[in-house]
Amino acid sequence: MKRQGASSERKRARIPSGKAGTANGFLMEVCVDSVESAVNAERGDLNLISLLSVLLGVLQVVKQCVQIPVFVMIRPRGGDFLYSDREVEVMKADIRLAKLYGADGLVFGALTEDGNIDKELCMSLVAICRPLPVTFHRAFDMVHDPMAALETLLTLGFERVLTSGCDSSALEGLPLIKRLIEQVSHNFFPFFLTLLNLQRILEGSGATEFHCSARSARDSGMKFRSEYSQKVTDVAQVRTLNAIAKNILV
């Protein structure tokens, strides 16, 4: 099967079957890219971390510092979701290493050139991931037929699907998210949420699980050439999102 690709970046979301804990009556996941963000996310009392890095040092220290589950994103490069044979080998190696270093779940996605789920590749990757749970990520928003793609993913054994309803944000994709949830009697978590749209999405979709970044910018500590800033998970934002969700769902 031919695999290669162009480029596309959009905001997304996901489908679960309830493998991670939902002690509060809902599941809130935060995507992080550093140990500090992971620690801040746990301090905000959430249920699950999605680590946007397969760097083994980061994963190892994150696992030492937090008690909540850590799912690792498997992504050999930026851009689209049509992968070459060498990129597939990278994904397989990253999955094996992530499992070895304590990942609690894996997150990945792959498409064919015509916008369908790459069944053959996904089946082989899922097999390597087991017995850990698997999530199909934002590649879902680039599929040709979302409803058919969802059925394919369920057949392949994915526990969750990350999607923003095939639109630029979960709020704009809310009608499709609701249809997808109704089709499988599962919930979705929007990939990119803000304090302003969480309530509307939870009330409008019927979801009890969601995914967000909850980050704020922090100035560099450098005194010489301090033009850089760092985005870090914000404990206050996590707690506020948690409070909103509890008010609606609990």
Side-chain angles (χ1 to χ4, degrees):
M1 183 174 293
K2 181 180 176 183
R3 301 187 181 103
Q4 201 80 60
S7 153
S8 177
E9 284 286 16
R10 300 170 59 185
K11 300 172 185 175
R12 332 283 149 180
R14 307 186 347 185
I15 300 187
S17 77
K19 298 281 176 152
T22 55
N24 294 326
F26 63 91
L27 189 147
M28 176 177 173
E29 178 182 5
V30 168
C31 53
V32 304
D33 60 2
S34 69
V35 176
E36 181 180 2
S37 285
V39 171
N40 286 351
E42 185 173 56
R43 286 176 57 202
D45 193 30
L46 57 77
N47 312 94
L48 179 65
I49 290 172
S50 180
L51 183 61
L52 304 180
S53 168
V54 78
L55 294 175
L56 299 181
V58 176
L59 175 58
Q60 185 177 44
V61 177
V62 165
K63 288 293 296 180
Q64 292 170 356
C65 292
V66 304
Q67 300 298 314
I68 57 180
V70 179
F71 281 36
V72 175
M73 180 79 71
I74 303 299
R75 187 91 158 94
R77 57 162 172 78
D80 66 15
F81 307 98
L82 182 64
Y83 298 118
S84 68
D85 291 338
R86 285 183 176 176
E87 289 167 341
V88 169
E89 291 308 307
V90 170
M91 296 173 78
K92 291 179 178 179
D94 281 344
I95 290 170
R96 293 187 180 102
L97 289 169
K99 290 175 66 179
L100 182 64
Y101 279 76
D104 298 294
L106 288 309
V107 184
F108 63 87
L111 303 178
T112 62
E113 61 183 2
D114 54 358
N116 292 314
I117 304 297
D118 190 331
K119 297 179 185 178
E120 181 182 352
L121 174 54
C122 286
M123 186 180 299
S124 67
L125 295 179
V126 168
I128 298 172
C129 290
R130 295 307 188 201
L132 299 181
V134 289
T135 295
F136 193 90
H137 64 34
R138 63 187 187 180
F140 186 85
D141 284 348
M142 305 302 292
V143 299
H144 175 68
D145 184 341
M147 306 307 281
L150 176 58
E151 291 301 327
T152 297
L153 294 178
L154 292 173
T155 300
L156 289 171
F158 282 86
E159 282 82 7
R160 294 180 174 87
V161 178
L162 179 60
T163 181
S164 62
C166 299
D167 216 318
S168 58
S169 73
L171 187 58
E172 293 173 336
L174 187 56
L176 179 58
I177 291 175
K178 186 174 181 179
R179 285 178 57 206
L180 292 167
I181 292 174
E182 290 172 347
Q183 177 172 329
V184 295
S185 299
H186 285 320
N187 300 308
F188 281 65
F189 5 126
F191 175 74
F192 186 79
L193 290 175
T194 69
L195 300 180
L196 298 176
N197 66 28
L198 175 58
Q199 181 172 346
R200 292 177 62 186
I201 292 171
L202 291 181
E203 291 178 342
S205 67
T208 60
E209 305 187 11
F210 62 96
H211 179 115
C212 56
S213 62
R215 295 185 294 178
S216 60
R218 186 182 64 195
D219 291 337
S220 169
M222 290 288 296
K223 294 182 179 179
F224 176 71
R225 300 194 63 172
S226 59
E227 63 260 37
Y228 297 104
S229 64
Q230 181 182 5
K231 289 188 176 181
V232 181
T233 300
D234 188 314
V235 177
Q237 284 195 41
V238 174
R239 288 175 175 166
T240 300
L241 289 166
N242 237 324
I244 294 171
K246 285 180 180 177
N247 186 53
I248 297 169
L249 301 173
V250 178

